[in-house]
Amino acid sequence: MRDTRESRLLLVLLIAIAFALITVDIRGGEDSPVDGARQAAASAFGPVENGVAAAVDPIGNAIGAVRDSGERHDRIAVLERENATLKARLGSDDRNRSRARELDKMLKTAGAGQYGIKGAEVIAIGAAQGFSWTVTIDVGSDDGIKRDMTVLNGDGLVGRVTTVGPGTATVLLANDPDFTVGTRMEKTDELGFATGQGDRPLSVQLLNGKSKVKKGDRLVTFGSQADKPFVPGVPVGEVVRVDPTGGDLTRNIFVRPYVGFSKLDIVGVVVVAPRSDPRDTVLPPKPAAPRPTPTVTVTVTPSAGSGDNAGNGEDSGNADDQNDQQ
């Protein structure tokens, strides 16, 4: 609209009419003559307002939800980080406790056999030398490690050192098919040779085909000349199967090794051999056989004359009845 004198007069007139209507509406109260027009306007524009509100409110709610979602996301992220840190701390503590137990067990084994050991950690599985069952440990020639040294842990014989570098060494595990160690039976002193069979029990060939062996018998290392590659007395395993002799000069048995080769962590390399053969002292004590639970038997013996007393009581009762009747 052009800004002319007529337009300004029209604007003033509309304002005056508006003020007049407002004055009439206020003075009229509930009976205001404008009330009908107001209701008509509400009827006409109410659905439009509801529609606009319905369209606008979800958007507003969504914006608020996005804002709140961002805040919740930040809180969740913080909680997740704290939870991960706590789990890592707990896991680290559990691992440290487990490693401490392994180390303590290995030191007790070394003390029982009087072995001077160099502690090491398994840092890799397998090697480039082509052996199928080997591990790499984090000690080497700089630590006094040499080829053909015995390796053990708290459970028993792990293997022998085959290759040595300045800071690492390769250990051939006792379950490798190329591994062979001289063994001696507990108590009977029967000698044999144990050979690895991968994830199966060790195969042991006893030199005496008529030797008496049973399931549960235990073996230790026999030892080598100059204690290389094996020192004597290291626990090897327990007999799980005995093959019949069949008239052979030797006898084959199968032994479950004490060491779990798939979960090695802390090991010890024997750098000082014992002064004397520890024999069977390194083997763990056998668990005591469970004692049979005694069976409690209760015998009831009737006292002498109990039957006569019962009979006499019955007779006296009958006599009392007869007296009453008389």
Side-chain angles (χ1 to χ4, degrees):
M1 181 182 293
R2 295 175 60 184
D3 186 12
T4 62
R5 182 177 180 184
E6 290 81 2
S7 61
R8 288 196 295 269
L9 291 174
L10 180 60
L11 177 61
V12 171
L13 180 61
L14 290 175
I15 293 174
I17 293 172
F19 275 109
L21 291 174
I22 292 172
T23 302
V24 172
D25 184 49
I26 293 174
R27 289 181 178 180
E30 295 181 355
D31 298 328
S32 172
V34 191
D35 187 62
R38 185 188 297 113
Q39 292 180 358
S43 299
F45 294 102
V48 177
E49 292 175 349
N50 290 334
V52 172
V56 173
D57 286 347
I59 297 175
N61 293 336
I63 293 173
V66 170
R67 186 186 303 113
D68 294 341
S69 175
E71 294 175 358
R72 287 196 297 269
H73 179 74
D74 293 340
R75 290 196 298 270
I76 291 172
V78 171
L79 292 175
E80 286 178 347
R81 287 194 297 269
E82 292 177 353
N83 192 26
T85 302
L86 181 59
K87 285 183 178 180
R89 187 180 304 166
L90 291 175
S92 177
D93 291 342
D94 291 341
R95 176 171 170 78
N96 289 337
R97 283 192 292 268
S98 176
R99 289 163 65 88
R101 287 193 296 268
E102 287 187 40
L103 180 59
D104 182 66
K105 190 176 181 180
M106 184 178 68
L107 292 176
K108 289 180 179 178
T109 298
Q114 297 299 306
Y115 308 122
I117 63 172
K118 182 72 175 182
E121 181 179 358
V122 174
I123 58 175
I125 303 173
Q129 288 80 357
F131 299 124
S132 56
W133 290 88
T134 61
V135 294
T136 302
I137 56 178
D138 62 349
V139 293
S141 57
D142 293 344
D143 305 287
I145 307 301
K146 299 179 181 179
R147 180 183 170 88
D148 287 336
M149 283 185 168
T150 307
V151 182
L152 51 78
N153 66 3
D155 296 318
L157 180 66
V158 172
R160 63 181 177 87
V161 177
T162 56
T163 307
V164 182
T168 61
T170 301
V171 178
L172 179 66
L173 301 180
N175 63 336
D176 188 276
D178 291 334
F179 186 96
T180 301
V181 58
T183 61
R184 182 178 58 78
M185 296 289 300
E186 180 186 15
K187 296 180 180 179
T188 64
D189 292 338
E190 293 288 350
L191 301 181
F193 293 96
T195 303
Q197 296 193 113
D199 54 1
R200 294 179 296 167
L202 305 176
S203 174
V204 180
Q205 187 178 56
L206 297 178
L207 301 182
N208 182 6
K210 297 181 179 180
S211 59
K212 294 182 180 180
V213 186
K214 64 182 183 299
K215 186 177 179 179
D217 287 347
R218 304 185 295 180
L219 295 83
V220 298
T221 56
F222 177 68
S224 306
Q225 185 176 5
D227 299 312
K228 288 188 177 181
F230 302 108
V231 294
V234 181
V236 175
E238 184 176 305
V239 176
V240 293
R241 197 179 90 200
V242 180
D243 281 356
T245 57
D248 296 334
L249 297 178
T250 60
R251 188 169 196 180
N252 293 328
I253 62 175
F254 296 90
V255 173
R256 180 180 63 246
Y258 287 123
V259 172
F261 298 104
S262 62
K263 50 183 180 181
L264 292 171
D265 187 9
I266 303 297
V267 299
V269 182
V270 180
V271 293
V272 179
R275 294 182 179 180
S276 59
D277 188 345
R279 309 286 298 176
D280 303 329
T281 58
V282 187
L283 284 168
K286 285 188 175 182
R291 295 182 179 180
T293 304
T295 303
V296 179
T297 304
V298 179
T299 304
V300 179
T301 304
S303 59
S306 60
D308 296 339
N309 293 336
N312 292 336
E314 184 178 354
D315 292 342
S316 61
N318 292 335
D320 293 340
D321 293 341
Q322 292 175 359
N323 293 332
D324 292 339
Q325 291 176 357
Q326 292 175 357

